[in-house]
Amino acid sequence: MLRLHFHDCFVEGCDGSILIDNGNNSERIANGHQGVRGYDVIENAKAQLESMCPGVVSCADIVAMAARDAVALSHGPVYQVETGRKDGLVSRMELAGRMPDVQDSIQILKQKFIEKGLNDRDLVILSAAHTIGTTACFFMTTRLYDFASSEGPDPSINPSFLPELTSACPKEGNPNDRLPMDHGSGDIFDKQIFQNIRSGFAVLQSDAKLMDDPTTKGIVDSYFGLLSPLIGPSFEGDFVKSMVRMGRIGVKTGSSGDIRRVCKAFN
């Protein structure tokens, strides 16, 4: 649910465009959306809402609220979601060409977030959404077996962690096998993801890249200062702020959108 919300917002804005199923040109089948799931959950929620209050709650708002609830159910912060979004009127595969990618450099990741009106702290915090959930092995192949600088594994991987990763995702294994994105804490929303990133235990290459830039590295480290429990930033508080900001990207109102009757099809 959390990933679905992120992927929706980063294309045409938080407008439910990723939900549309219009054949071979569907945004949802774009390379940048590989592995995104949860469409059936949104459709089920929409069907129940339409039976009670037809034409009131947009699919875009359902996605945002489902992400909120997924965080809460994973022992994360409980927060209020802004509502009132309308569903977008456009959904095409080629519009998803600027999705952040696990193999992007930190400079490219920062630029892609800037393009959406988000800052470096948002990049760090929203990357930490990987504290819950799993990833497919096809996102790991290059990092484990054909990394650009080594023609082997990514040298930023802690050597003691590498055997666990290669065991979970063997070179000739099933690319659809999955592993937790937060080593040792994949089902619980917490800041362990940052400690893993600092220690070379990041699962995803893009998470590890946060240590390649002094600004993003400083933000990660700021959650572990000696006085951070007293006067340092709050991971949960910052996460809520970044989620709310992300939920404002490209919001459709008025005649720029409508409220779909079914989330996977335009009215």
Side-chain angles (χ1 to χ4, degrees), residues 48-100:
Q48 294 186 53
L49 282 163
E50 285 297 297
S51 70
M52 298 293 292
C53 45
V56 175
V57 184
S58 69
C59 300
D61 275 352
I62 294 171
V63 171
M65 290 185 284
R68 172 203 63 191
D69 293 348
V71 170
L73 290 168
S74 302
H75 307 285
V78 176
Y79 61 97
Q80 294 297 312
V81 167
E82 295 174 334
T83 55
R85 303 169 187 81
K86 286 195 173 181
D87 296 320
L89 307 175
V90 175
S91 178
R92 297 198 306 275
M93 181 170 58
E94 65 268 21
L95 297 176
R98 288 289 290 170
M99 280 300 304

